[in-house]
Amino acid sequence: MPRPEHSAAAAAAAAGSVGVRPARHYARAATTMRTKTKRVPESQLSDLPATALKEEYAAVPLAQTAGGVVRRLLTLELASHGEKLRLKREQLIASAQTDDGRSDRRGSPQAKVAVLTARIRNYREHLEKHAKDMANKRRMLMAVDRRTKILKNLRSVDYDAFEGVCRQLGIAYTFPPEYYRHASRRWLAKKALCIKVFQEVQRQKAEKKLNMKRPGAAAQLVAPSPHS
């Protein structure tokens, strides 16, 4: 009587000779798993050197000669994202200055455009990682609209300064559309309702903050009620 292994081998050889294909999903060839490679966005803070001093220590003479762990604490090597962003904002403000020296003020249009540009790029980098963050997306769109208005006014007042700040900051100014859609009564009513709801929410938040600042507010929260 033939052994089971010999009979199985003979059956496999006979199946291979007549061209019989194995059953589906049987002895499937190993496939390589495709790994999804996410594109890492290039940050605007990537060009900041790690050896650069922080904004508050840049004008301190002793910080220039410090070394060791103190030097690492004063530089951007161990700095947070907010500290790096503040230094980047100062660099953009300095690059947006013109030769006449009128744009070095914080209230100048060039300085405002530089601050908004750093903020918009920071929001954009955040949204590339967290696309469903609608709150930051709304803040980014509001900052873009504000920057567009400032650039529009600067273009009508001083065209040379407008070209200079767009060139230094790498901004592509887009002209507003010539035609705006007519505002319907339904859209106006919806906008008025949204504004009314927003104002009511802000009023409630202001009242809550005012009540918390009162001296007896903390005692009222801690003290038990007379009915308990």
Side-chain angles (χ1 to χ4, degrees):
M1 185 175 180
R3 294 183 180 179
E5 56 269 21
H6 292 293
S7 60
S17 61
V18 298
V20 178
R21 301 180 62 183
R24 183 176 296 180
H25 303 305
Y26 179 77
R28 178 184 293 179
T31 58
T32 57
M33 298 294 292
R34 295 183 179 180
T35 58
K36 295 182 179 180
T37 57
K38 294 184 178 180
R39 185 179 64 88
V40 179
E42 185 179 358
S43 175
Q44 64 171 344
L45 307 177
S46 58
D47 59 341
L48 293 177
T51 57
L53 292 173
K54 298 180 182 179
E55 179 188 359
E56 57 269 21
Y57 302 114
V60 179
L62 294 177
Q64 307 291 338
T65 58
V69 181
V70 178
R71 180 71 180 182
R72 296 180 61 189
L73 293 174
L74 300 182
T75 57
L76 299 180
E77 185 177 356
L78 302 177
S80 62
H81 181 78
E83 293 172 341
K84 294 180 181 179
L85 187 61
R86 284 195 294 269
L87 183 59
K88 187 65 178 181
R89 184 169 60 241
E90 294 297 326
Q91 289 184 359
L92 292 180
I93 293 175
S95 64
Q97 293 181 2
T98 55
D99 297 335
D100 53 6
R102 293 179 299 174
S103 61
D104 54 350
R105 300 188 304 270
R106 290 302 183 118
S108 63
Q110 293 88 336
K112 292 180 179 179
V113 169
V115 172
L116 289 173
T117 301
R119 190 178 305 171
I120 290 169
R121 291 173 180 173
N122 184 42
Y123 284 140
R124 190 174 300 164
E125 294 170 6
H126 175 77
L127 289 174
E128 288 184 0
K129 299 178 182 178
H130 310 280
K132 296 184 179 181
D133 193 351
M134 295 294 107
N136 280 326
K137 184 176 182 180
R138 178 176 175 270
R139 296 188 185 100
M140 184 189 71
L141 294 178
M142 292 173 63
V144 169
D145 292 341
R146 186 180 176 187
R147 187 181 67 175
T148 303
K149 292 179 181 180
I150 296 176
L151 288 175
K152 180 180 178 181
N153 296 333
L154 183 62
R155 183 175 181 272
S156 60
V157 174
D158 192 351
Y159 189 80
D160 295 336
F162 164 78
E163 280 191 339
V165 70
C166 289
R167 182 177 62 255
Q168 294 294 335
L169 299 179
I171 301 174
Y173 179 75
T174 305
F175 292 95
E178 298 180 358
Y179 171 74
Y180 290 91
R181 184 178 179 182
H182 177 69
S184 61
R185 295 175 59 183
R186 180 179 180 181
W187 183 84
L188 292 175
K190 185 177 180 180
K191 182 179 180 181
L193 178 62
C194 293
I195 293 175
K196 188 175 181 180
V197 171
F198 177 76
Q199 292 176 353
E200 180 65 21
V201 171
Q202 295 298 321
R203 186 185 65 81
Q204 293 179 2
K205 288 183 179 180
E207 288 183 357
K208 187 176 180 180
K209 289 182 179 180
L210 185 61
N211 294 333
M212 294 299 294
K213 289 182 179 179
R214 291 177 181 176
Q220 292 178 3
L221 292 176
V222 177
S225 61
H227 300 287
S228 59

